[in-house]
Amino acid sequence: MKAAILIIVFLLIAFGICLLLVRRHYVKLLYLATKRAQKSEQLKSVFIDNISRTLRTPLNAIVGSCNKLLEEKDVNLQPAQTRKAVTEISDYSKDLLDFVLQLHDMSKFEGITPSFTFIEVNLTELMASYRREAMNYTRPDVAVRVISDLSPHCRAILDTNLMHQLMMHLLTSAAKHVTHGDIFIRYNCERRGLKVAVSYTGLDQSELAQGDIYSLLQEEGALKDSNKSTALSLAICRAIIDMFGGEFLMDKENDKKNVASFWFPCEMKDIYRDL
């Protein structure tokens, strides 16, 4: 009888300890979620201020150049003056367009709650579509090439929206810094997942890949300055890869090429079919 009572008491104590541990676990999760929500709210205010400052500069310049052209009488307007004003309007318009495109890319990044829609895609066709799109951002002497040892029939099951964001952030970042030569996209199967590397010749950018997306967004000029913009793109890439449960690395190859590589677990089919 006493043994049964002791067992019951022991079980009740163990149950109480388990309840306490579970409660502590969920209290910790709630605390982290609350802190994240507060941080996101602060970030939103800083982000809006950043957008406002970044938009005002090109818009004011465009308006100012237009006003100069409108205020000058035709007889006093020299061709050189007209060319200078039109060039300024064109340059600032391009800056404005680049900024809007960057905002559009960032608006698709969900950053906090992973939301996946997995579909089966042909990897050869998918990578070819990234190559075609990236060519719109490269200089005339730059080519984008895709290399793989996998079968052209190889298929992967992944979220194409997040994959597109990830690849285009890497490729547009590379296109900004490559003046001549090739940008290589290499992909393969590794550790039951997909391994992709984007390599290109240019200034060492490995230091830029260490930033945190939330910290970078709060820096003044993060959406305008070239280095900060690249760092922000790489931070978004790292965040997307984290959502996939993978690994991201930015390194230097032979002291000449930047290599941005990532891996994430992914179901793949027909990897070496007909090779």
Side-chain angles (χ1 to χ4, degrees):
M1 186 68 177
K2 289 183 178 179
I5 294 174
L6 287 174
I7 292 172
I8 292 173
V9 171
F10 175 77
L11 290 174
L12 287 174
I13 293 173
F15 182 69
I17 292 173
C18 289
L19 283 179
L20 179 62
L21 292 174
V22 169
R23 181 180 179 278
R24 287 183 61 184
H25 172 71
Y26 281 104
V27 167
K28 184 178 179 180
L29 289 180
L30 179 62
Y31 172 78
L32 292 174
T34 303
K35 294 292 288 183
R36 186 180 296 175
Q38 292 172 346
K39 189 175 182 180
S40 297
E41 189 64 29
Q42 294 170 356
L43 177 62
K44 183 175 72 174
S45 300
V46 176
F47 184 49
I48 291 173
D49 289 341
N50 252 334
I51 291 176
S52 178
R53 286 195 300 271
T54 308
L55 284 175
R56 279 200 300 267
T57 301
L59 286 174
N60 286 337
I62 290 170
V63 171
S65 297
C66 289
N67 287 338
K68 285 180 183 178
L69 289 174
L70 293 172
E71 289 170 1
E72 289 285 349
K73 295 181 180 179
D74 290 343
V75 293
N76 297 328
L77 198 61
Q78 300 297 319
Q81 293 175 303
T82 304
R83 190 178 300 109
K84 181 181 178 183
V86 171
T87 300
E88 288 178 352
I89 292 172
S90 176
D91 290 343
Y92 281 110
S93 295
K94 289 177 182 176
D95 287 345
L96 193 58
L97 180 60
D98 288 342
F99 178 66
V100 170
L101 289 173
Q102 187 180 16
L103 280 182
H104 179 256
D105 282 343
M106 291 190 63
S107 70
K108 296 183 292 185
F109 175 65
E110 297 180 0
I112 295 178
T113 305
S115 178
F116 300 108
T117 304
F118 291 103
I119 62 172
E120 185 175 290
V121 293
N122 181 287
L123 277 179
T124 300
E125 295 174 358
L126 191 67
M127 295 299 172
S129 70
Y130 298 148
R131 175 190 173 276
R132 288 193 297 271
E133 190 170 348
M135 288 296 292
N136 295 325
Y137 302 98
T138 59
R139 293 176 172 84
D141 295 331
V142 177
V144 181
R145 306 187 188 281
V146 181
I147 301 173
S148 179
D149 294 329
L150 301 182
S151 164
H153 306 288
C154 181
R155 293 167 292 153
I157 299 175
L158 46 77
D159 185 311
T160 53
N161 178 41
L162 287 175
M163 187 68 177
H164 179 267
Q165 292 181 56
L166 174 60
M167 290 298 297
M168 294 317 300
H169 272 296
L170 292 177
L171 291 171
T172 53
S173 176
K176 287 179 185 177
H177 297 87
V178 179
T179 57
H180 64 278
D182 297 326
I183 298 172
F184 291 100
I185 303 172
R186 292 181 172 87
Y187 67 96
N188 219 320
C189 178
E190 185 178 298
R191 290 180 288 156
R192 294 186 178 182
L194 178 62
K195 172 74 177 289
V196 180
V198 176
S199 60
Y200 54 95
T201 303
L203 296 174
D204 188 359
Q205 295 180 322
S206 55
E207 292 288 333
L208 301 178
Q210 308 305 316
D212 172 75
I213 183 172
Y214 297 105
S215 301
L216 287 167
L217 277 176
Q218 295 184 64
E219 294 184 15
E220 187 172 349
L223 302 172
K224 180 64 178 172
D225 179 82
S226 177
N227 276 346
K228 289 181 180 178
S229 177
T230 299
L232 185 57
S233 287
L234 294 175
I236 291 174
C237 290
R238 184 182 295 279
I240 292 173
I241 287 299
D242 287 344
M243 291 170 68
F244 276 128
E247 303 165 0
F248 178 79
L249 178 66
M250 186 77 188
D251 208 349
K252 197 77 172 170
E253 182 182 84
N254 299 326
D255 295 327
K256 292 180 179 180
K257 285 188 176 182
N258 289 294
V259 182
S261 62
F262 62 86
W263 170 89
F264 59 84
C266 175
E267 183 180 346
M268 300 172 67
K269 302 178 180 179
D270 298 330
I271 298 173
Y272 300 113
R273 175 182 151 193
D274 299 335
L275 284 181

